[in-house]
Amino acid sequence: MTTGPVSDRGFGPARHAELALLLEVAGTPKPGNVDRKRDLSDLHFEHFLTGAVGSASGLRLAEDGATVGAAFETAVEGMSRQGGGNTQFGCLLLLVPLVRAAAAGALSPDGVTDVVRSTTVDDAVSFYRAFEHVDVAVGDPPEDAPDLDVRRGAGAESALREQSLTLFDVMERSAERDANAREWAGGFERTFRAAESILEGDGPVTDRVARAFLDLLTEEPDTLVVTNHGEAVARDVMDRAAAVSDLDAAEELAESFVAEGINPGTTADIVCAATFVALERGVPL
Amino acid sequence: MTTGPVSDRGFGPARHAELALLLEVAGTPKPGNVDRKRDLSDLHFEHFLTGAVGSASGLRLAEDGATVGAAFETAVEGMSRQGGGNTQFGCLLLLVPLVRAAAAGALSPDGVTDVVRSTTVDDAVSFYRAFEHVDVAVGDPPEDAPDLDVRRGAGAESALREQSLTLFDVMERSAERDANAREWAGGFERTFRAAESILEGDGPVTDRVARAFLDLLTEEPDTLVVTNHGEAVARDVMDRAAAVSDLDAAEELAESFVAEGINPGTTADIVCAATFVALERGVPL
């Protein structure tokens, strides 16, 4: 039995992105998230498998050079064809520009920044429309911009066009309160950093994914936890993750978070994006 | 949260086949096989995830009407791009003609029989060549046909051409000793029957897959178990599976089989094919 780097595997970026979705959900323990060992009450492992396969057409569009908005909306629409609801919306928001950058031979902070800065108002409209395919947990919009509430879906189109807001502009405005938007605005800093830790880690890739998840969780309040439970709980989650010494100890935390309904989903999005970068860079499978 | 039939999902046959590969390995317990809860020593869950994604290009060829041999060889080549070795060779041997039949709107015993009976000598050559991409556990060839040993790979081409053997002919000759070849020769009888039990079952599709696996395991000696351990052990496996009353009781059997190195992999192939048929027929996800 041998393991080979990506160059031997011959997977394109879209296939690596689909595989990243699968390896992310298989990585265990990822406290509070669906993983190989745990389901949430309405959200099961098989919903994520189905969501990953459903996303593939949109990811392929991204590889083939479609606009970020069109590829993302197609991926989300395909992802939503299962009964669990939102499985991988945030992952796809990170993966689509990364796939575009990889397909252009520029999978780096600068390369992906070029991709996201090139987005247009049409991309922003597609992004808003994607919210119509699936229920996404989001916080309230800024008080001065109720017309840009993502929950308006396609209804926000005229406001976006009047204000000439590109998808990058939308992300930049959300960067302070949303960790995924912060990746867009800041060269996918945490994504690339976590990818290095996955590449340099030991053991099966799914263990590396789990360790990277725990490390990320100690760094910043998880956006989804803030949305659902508030800042104080999100800070407590960071402390509890920091107190965990290894994957065995994380098993207990995983049981606790599931029992308490704490789902650090945004951190899982970032580790999924990092897994994609690690696959592109040849992490052995 | 809702569940929808396949017509709402809009997955094509190739995507359903890929999803069947994923749902099969996720179904647990499937005693003796890799599943959501168990790895084997050299063969891990993530190898199957990677194998499924790697198979997708070949499955897409089958959906697009490529010959069975070309689609199968491409799928096996893609599947083998991971470090676990043979993950889904047998599944793909069943899935490729089923995808072809589904793409032609004829996913039925007669429809798939038309597909397999239409295979050519070239398809047989491709099938033999597929053995060069991955180590597959196989029994010895019939004593009167050493030149048709699949372990010869492309080296068997001249013998196949001299004897004008199509891939269907090859399968028919192996039907007595190989359960997958028996599906080819006999209208995929067990596949379609197990698909009905998955469709009519209760609970998550992964539980239905596990129950269908146990039912199939009681029916016939598993070909891979016969190859690795002989007929007597394979008969004992059937009896032990028959003594299991439900999925909880099967957990213990799963632990025992893994400890004893008993891997009923051919039965897993058939349940994978059945899962594909169930997906095409609208099993809810």
Side-chain angles (χ1 to χ4, degrees), chain A residues 39-80:
Chain A
D39 290 333
L40 302 181
S41 59
D42 286 330
L43 199 56
H44 303 164
F45 195 70
E46 63 267 26
H47 296 138
F48 284 78
L49 302 181
T50 310
V53 174
S55 303
S57 299
L59 294 166
R60 171 51 57 103
L61 285 181
E63 179 177 319
D64 291 346
T67 60
V68 168
F72 177 71
E73 191 191 347
T74 301
V76 168
E77 196 267 328
M79 173 208 83
S80 66

Side-chain angles (χ1 to χ4, degrees), chain A residues 1-4 8-11 15-16 18-19 22-23 26 34-39 42 44-47 49-57 60 77-78 81-86 204-206 285, chain B residues 1-4 8-11 15-16 18-19 22-23 26 34-39 42 44-47 49-57 60 77-78 81-86 204-206 285:
Chain A
M1 303 297 159
T2 57
T3 55
D8 296 336
R9 283 204 299 276
F11 283 29
R15 297 263 186 244
H16 271 156
E18 186 185 355
L19 185 54
L22 295 169
L23 294 171
V34 173
D35 65 22
R36 185 172 173 188
K37 290 194 188 151
R38 288 167 196 87
D39 290 333
D42 286 330
H44 303 164
F45 195 70
E46 63 267 26
H47 296 138
L49 302 181
T50 310
V53 174
S55 303
S57 299
R60 171 51 57 103
E77 196 267 328
R81 293 173 188 159
Q82 35 75 30
N86 179 22
V205 66
T206 41
L285 283 175
Chain B
M1 303 296 159
T2 57
T3 56
D8 296 337
R9 282 204 299 277
F11 283 30
R15 296 263 186 244
H16 270 155
E18 187 186 355
L19 185 54
L22 295 169
L23 294 171
V34 173
D35 65 22
R36 185 172 172 189
K37 289 194 189 152
R38 287 167 198 87
D39 290 332
D42 286 330
H44 303 165
F45 194 70
E46 61 267 26
H47 296 139
L49 301 182
T50 310
V53 174
S55 303
S57 298
R60 170 51 57 101
E77 196 268 327
R81 293 172 189 160
Q82 35 74 30
N86 179 22
V205 66
T206 42
L285 284 175

